[in-house]
Amino acid sequence: MNVYLFAVVVILWYMLYRYRRRRVYELAALIPTAPEKIPYVGALQHSYNIMNNIIDLIHKYTDFAQNNGGFVKIWVGPMLYVGITNPEDVEFILKNCLEKADIVKLIRSIVGNAGIFAPVSIWTRRRKLLIPAFSPKIINSFMNILINQSEELAKQLSRHKKVGTGRFEAWSFISAYTLGSVCETALGIRINYVQNPDNKFLKAATNLFALMADRIFQVWLWPDVIYNCSSKSTEFYENLKTVYDLTDEIIQTKKEELKDEDIQLDSDSVIFGQSPKKVRCFLEHLILLSKNSGGFTDVELREEVITFLLAGTDTSSVAICNTLTLLAKYPKEQEKVYQEIVEVLGELDRPLEKDDLKEFKYLERVIKESLRLFPPAPLLIRKVTEETSMPTGVTLPADTGIIVSVWGISRDKKHWGPDADCFNPDRFLPDRKTGLFIPFSSGPRNCVGYQYALLSVKMALVGVLRRYKVVGQEEEGPAPKIDTKFTIMMKAKDNYQIALEAR
Ligand code: HEM
Ligand SMILES: *[C@@H]1O[C@H](CO)[C@@H](O)[C@H](O)[C@H]1NC(C)=O
Ligand SMILES: *[C@@H]1O[C@H](CO)[C@@H](O)[C@H](O)[C@H]1NC(C)=O
């Protein structure tokens, strides 16, 4: 009897649920479904398999969408997600739909409501506060730190006998460089991971990333209530505490140092001027900029700083490593990069200077081509909050999650030409027509560290390539292959095995 009653209640509830969402199903029915199932929704496979194969899936879904009008539907439980691949639609979404879909809530558990993953209501104010800290003047003032870090990178490679001694994992050296530079420019602290691989902060940050990537592929672990019961969560919160404590300590020290400085917002003296100290780190800028009402609280400061570390380190490392790998595959192009460096720097031993950087035009094209073929962030996640008609005609129901395939956009043969899968830096020559280039996203919520990232990537590459030749297996054809896995970033499975020879 009770069982029947229960069944009836469940059925009625379900019917009501379906009825309330009838518009969602009605519109969803018009969007094509890929034949391939996403394994993690089935929740049976081990997450590592999925991470290793996700690029394959992105490939298949992207192809499917591109052959079916630019849309593909993905149900994540009851939540509707739609992958989009038409450049017009992508530009429209990135410009107009700034809310991020629920998947990113997970990441909020690490960075709180910091810029990158915050709901629009919170994000708007934060973004406004962040922008002045990334002004060209401030970025320029970091130049010497970056030069020092890139010199340090080159030195460490030879100190650790990685030159002329065969293949080694470039990843740890490159990420030491990016973490070192972000820590110095964001927090004003020098850490040297290569000399000090037990660095507590680095370990904790690395673990956090891995645990988060793991959780993303285990849908049942998404709710905090359930995650908190799993064994991994203890590890997660321990690492989180380490990162929080260290950042808080640094923030308090800096605040103490700066407490007597009375500086007007927007005045040049914040940046260079008479202030007693040389270069200020991002954190100091944020503290000074927050002295005026409406600035950051302590918790907000911490959240923003952690975001820089998370958003700025692995992304840039992946970009640098991919570029080195590509140059090993294409020695002719590497030679052109080297010739350009020789031309710009003249005598090879002289240190880099600020003004040199903009002269590396060919290198810039190589970096862009590397970001196009292997975007460190292959997917962008957004959400439409109300029923929305796309420029190409399809209507998406309210609350649909959007997945933008950066990978697909970058390799779309219709817009990049038949050689879209090939490595050809010269497609970025100023007079050539290109497709949509969005490795840093676009629109009001794009990567705020875009200029900084390009500078840092360029600097590392010049530091390495002016001294060493990257060698490895040459690519057989013009379309490079790098075997990648998905760890939120898209990163090579072998942690970038390369070899270096002295020039
Ligand atoms: C090659 C390196 C990098 C790549 C490929 C990259 C890519 C991206 C992408 C794709 C987004 C936007 C996500 C979206 O539209 O939903 C983003 C946002 C962001 N990035 Fe980067 N990034 C890089 C380096 C950096 C660096 C070095 C920093 C800081 C020091 C940084 C700070 C940020 C921040 C704060 C946001 C959030 C912006 C907002 O939501 O308002 N990024 N990045
Ligand atoms: C970088 O700066 C540090 C500290 O200021 C200094 O000890 C080191 O020698 C510098 N490294 C290079 C390669 O210039
Ligand atoms: C899960 O655990 C963390 C850390 O112990 C805590 O801050 C959070 O509130 C918990 N969440 C839930 C829903 O129990």
Side-chain angles (χ1 to χ4, degrees):
M1 183 62 192
N2 282 343
V3 175
Y4 283 122
L5 191 62
F6 181 71
V8 168
V9 169
V10 168
I11 290 169
L12 281 177
W13 176 84
Y14 184 69
M15 283 167 67
L16 185 68
Y17 176 80
R18 297 282 302 197
Y19 179 74
R20 282 230 218 88
R21 285 166 48 95
R22 63 194 182 284
R23 183 72 180 152
V24 175
Y25 298 113
E26 195 184 313
L27 290 172
L30 303 174
I31 302 168
T33 311
E36 197 88 20
K37 287 280 165 285
I38 297 189
Y40 72 72
V41 179
L44 287 170
Q45 272 188 26
H46 193 268
S47 58
Y48 288 111
N49 281 338
I50 297 151
M51 288 193 233
N52 281 331
N53 294 322
I54 191 125
I55 301 304
D56 243 21
L57 269 178
I58 293 177
H59 231 102
K60 284 181 181 146
Y61 270 74
T62 302
D63 271 358
F64 178 84
Q66 280 171 346
N67 292 326
N68 285 275
F71 294 88
V72 58
K73 166 172 70 187
I74 301 154
W75 287 106
V76 180
M79 299 172 284
L80 174 64
Y81 280 80
V82 173
I84 61 174
T85 57
N86 292 333
E88 307 88 305
D89 297 326
V90 169
E91 278 191 289
F92 174 85
I93 288 284
L94 293 179
K95 186 160 167 226
N96 299 300
C97 305
L98 305 182
E99 201 68 72
K100 305 223 168 169
D102 300 339
I103 291 187
V104 308
K105 275 193 191 144
L106 280 189
I107 305 175
R108 268 182 221 156
S109 63
I110 294 186
V111 295
N113 279 317
I116 193 162
F117 306 114
V120 167
S121 53
I122 294 175
W123 165 81
T124 311
R125 178 180 143 267
R126 296 246 189 138
R127 175 87 180 194
K128 235 198 239 143
L129 286 167
L130 217 52
I131 296 246
F134 281 88
S135 73
K137 264 190 188 163
I138 293 182
I139 303 290
N140 261 318
S141 72
F142 291 148
M143 200 76 90
N144 288 331
I145 295 179
L146 291 176
I147 291 176
N148 173 288
Q149 291 280 356
S150 84
E151 296 282 305
E152 207 53 57
L153 165 63
K155 270 197 188 152
Q156 293 297 345
L157 286 166
S158 85
R159 200 168 291 158
H160 283 80
K161 309 220 170 355
K162 300 302 179 195
V163 182
T165 51
R167 291 160 82 78
F168 69 100
E169 265 183 25
W171 179 257
S172 60
F173 287 86
I174 301 299
S175 56
Y177 161 82
T178 55
L179 190 78
S181 8
V182 175
C183 279
E184 200 172 348
T185 51
L187 296 171
I189 55 172
R190 266 189 89 83
I191 59 168
N192 195 332
Y193 165 58
V194 181
Q195 282 166 357
N196 186 9
D198 290 329
N199 188 291
K200 241 166 71 183
F201 187 88
L202 183 83
K203 257 196 182 157
T206 312
N207 287 342
L208 275 183
F209 239 133
L211 288 164
M212 199 164 62
D214 221 41
R215 189 176 171 191
I216 285 199
F217 292 100
Q218 305 183 51
V219 181
W220 61 97
L221 291 181
W222 286 13
D224 273 348
V225 191
I226 297 175
Y227 189 62
N228 278 6
C229 301
S230 81
S231 57
K232 292 277 182 204
S233 78
T234 323
E235 203 183 329
F236 178 86
Y237 289 112
E238 272 169 17
N239 284 302
L240 191 62
K241 186 164 180 320
T242 309
V243 171
Y244 279 8
D245 287 352
L246 286 168
T247 9
D248 284 347
E249 205 180 300
I250 294 161
I251 290 172
Q252 288 318 319
T253 317
K254 289 279 175 228
K255 281 189 102 164
E256 193 57 31
E257 278 173 33
L258 296 175
K259 92 174 172 295
D260 298 324
E261 280 191 52
D262 184 26
I263 286 167
Q264 292 302 307
L265 194 67
D266 289 338
S267 85
D268 260 12
S269 63
V270 178
I271 299 161
F272 302 114
Q274 303 78 23
S275 336
K277 289 205 323 212
K278 8 137 206 120
V279 182
R280 295 187 180 282
C281 57
F282 278 123
L283 176 61
E284 289 184 28
H285 287 295
L286 294 182
I287 292 174
L288 291 171
L289 294 164
S290 336
K291 280 197 169 176
N292 296 42
S293 54
F296 289 112
T297 65
D298 283 4
V299 172
E300 289 176 334
L301 279 174
R302 182 223 283 154
E303 290 175 351
E304 293 305 332
V305 165
I306 292 176
T307 308
F308 291 166
L309 295 174
L310 289 185
T313 334
D314 271 20
T315 41
S316 311
S317 308
V318 168
I320 297 167
C321 287
N322 280 334
T323 311
L324 289 173
T325 305
L326 285 168
L327 289 174
K329 288 175 184 291
Y330 299 103
K332 266 202 210 121
E333 278 73 7
Q334 184 175 173
E335 209 45 40
K336 276 166 108 172
V337 170
Y338 181 68
Q339 287 313 324
E340 184 179 69
I341 296 177
V342 174
E343 244 165 65
V344 174
L345 294 183
E347 261 181 82
L348 264 183
D349 267 349
R350 97 164 154 81
L352 265 176
E353 280 161 27
K354 261 189 199 175
D355 293 334
D356 296 330
L357 264 289
K358 52 181 182 308
E359 305 296 326
F360 296 114
K361 299 281 184 228
Y362 185 70
L363 179 60
E364 219 165 271
R365 297 202 288 278
V366 168
I367 294 169
K368 280 189 169 167
E369 183 66 341
S370 150
L371 288 167
R372 180 186 73 86
L373 284 169
F374 298 97
L379 301 174
L380 301 174
I381 307 289
R382 295 291 170 91
K383 174 165 138 177
V384 298
T385 47
E386 51 197 59
E387 194 171 303
T388 306
S389 296
M390 295 285 111
T392 59
V394 170
T395 300
L396 301 176
D399 286 330
T400 304
I402 305 286
I403 303 175
V404 174
S405 172
V406 180
W407 172 278
I409 287 288
S410 311
R411 289 169 177 255
D412 185 348
K413 293 196 168 57
K414 262 190 276 171
H415 298 89
W416 289 94
D419 70 340
D421 285 327
C422 304
F423 180 71
N424 174 16
D426 283 341
R427 72 173 82 243
F428 285 105
L429 277 168
D431 56 337
R432 307 267 171 99
K433 205 173 134 316
T434 66
L436 192 58
F437 182 68
I438 51 166
F440 296 99
S441 184
S442 79
R445 209 166 180 177
N446 71 346
C447 177
V448 78
Y450 160 57
Q451 303 283 354
Y452 174 94
L454 283 180
L455 194 64
S456 153
V457 168
K458 218 192 236 180
M459 206 77 92
L461 290 168
V462 173
V464 172
L465 295 169
R466 69 188 289 202
R467 295 186 180 78
Y468 315 124
K469 187 191 230 167
V470 192
V471 290
Q473 208 150 28
E474 281 182 38
E475 190 69 63
E476 314 234 314
K481 286 177 280 305
I482 299 179
D483 203 7
T484 50
K485 66 184 170 195
F486 184 80
T487 53
I488 305 196
M489 242 53 74
M490 187 170 80
K491 177 177 152 189
K493 280 182 193 165
D494 67 356
N495 281 329
Y496 298 98
Q497 298 269 339
I498 57 168
L500 298 176
E501 279 168 11
R503 282 275 180 191

